[in-house]
Amino acid sequence: MDRRTYLRSLAAGTGVGATVGTAGCLGVLGDSGAEGTVLGPPERDLSEAVHPSYGDEMPNFTVPDPLTGDEVSVADFEGERAVLWTSFYTNCPDGVCPALILRLRRAQAVAAEEGYGDESAFLALTFDPERDIAEVLREYAGQQGVDLDAGNWHFLRPESYERAQELMDEDFGLVIEKRDADQYENLEYQFPHYGLILLANKRGIVERAYPRGPQTDIERLVSDFERVVTA
């Protein structure tokens, strides 16, 4: 069973509100780091997971930022900025997506405090472009405490739901599918949660994958990001 088939089978068994796990703890890697990385190997070997992990190239995609009107490409940051990426949607009913945004937002705040904000990029990709229009994303930024004026945060909105599905599947190996939300008042549909956060260095190499992003220790994530940015 290959990496993609494995994680899809795992995702199929999770309910809405669950965070998809990984291929499991396969042991601690050796001491030598992957080529092109700043950090040493992570405690858990995620190389069998379908999503990008330590030492992989960060997926290179181009998606509009509706708040700036720009087309944002991951390749634009290579050589200049380290990247923290996650996916979300603003109608998330159970707190998973706000927890993901909180972690990126905290890293953004520390980057400003420590003076490396211009070497950082925070990319939050919505997979619900039908509802997450520019006005909604701007309001959400205010609710979540995101600093849009810093110039290093991008809410990314694919052109359509189908494009969002394609992007998440082909680039990140994550299956996005609408599900009924009858249990929630005034919510037509919802999505299962994958909770993935990726940290990539300035060379476009993944330094850390946090597959259970909402539970990831904030100080640990911020520390990892700072070490990568300032290396």
Side-chain angles (χ1 to χ4, degrees), residues 5-132:
T5 302
Y6 182 90
L7 196 60
R8 281 179 173 169
S9 68
L10 196 62
T14 61
V16 174
T19 304
V20 168
T22 69
C25 184
L26 304 179
V28 179
L29 297 176
D31 292 332
S32 60
E35 183 178 356
T37 59
V38 174
L39 303 178
E43 294 178 357
R44 299 180 65 190
D45 180 356
L46 303 179
S47 60
E48 294 300 317
V50 66
H51 58 72
S53 61
Y54 180 70
D56 291 336
E57 291 186 4
M58 181 71 179
N60 184 24
F61 56 86
T62 300
V63 181
D65 177 342
L67 300 187
T68 65
D70 297 328
E71 294 279 331
V72 177
S73 297
V74 173
D76 294 341
F77 303 117
E78 289 189 20
E80 297 182 1
R81 296 175 185 257
V83 171
L84 269 180
W85 172 94
T86 195
S87 60
F88 79 108
Y89 70 117
T90 64
N91 278 276
C92 176
D94 50 23
V96 171
C97 294
L100 293 168
I101 298 299
L102 169 63
R103 281 150 178 79
L104 267 66
R105 191 259 295 170
R106 181 55 186 156
Q108 184 195 37
V110 173
E113 294 167 3
E114 300 300 325
Y116 54 85
D118 290 344
E119 301 176 73
S120 309
F122 305 94
L123 308 181
L125 173 73
T126 176
F127 42 77
D128 187 17
E130 296 172 354
R131 294 183 293 193
D132 289 344

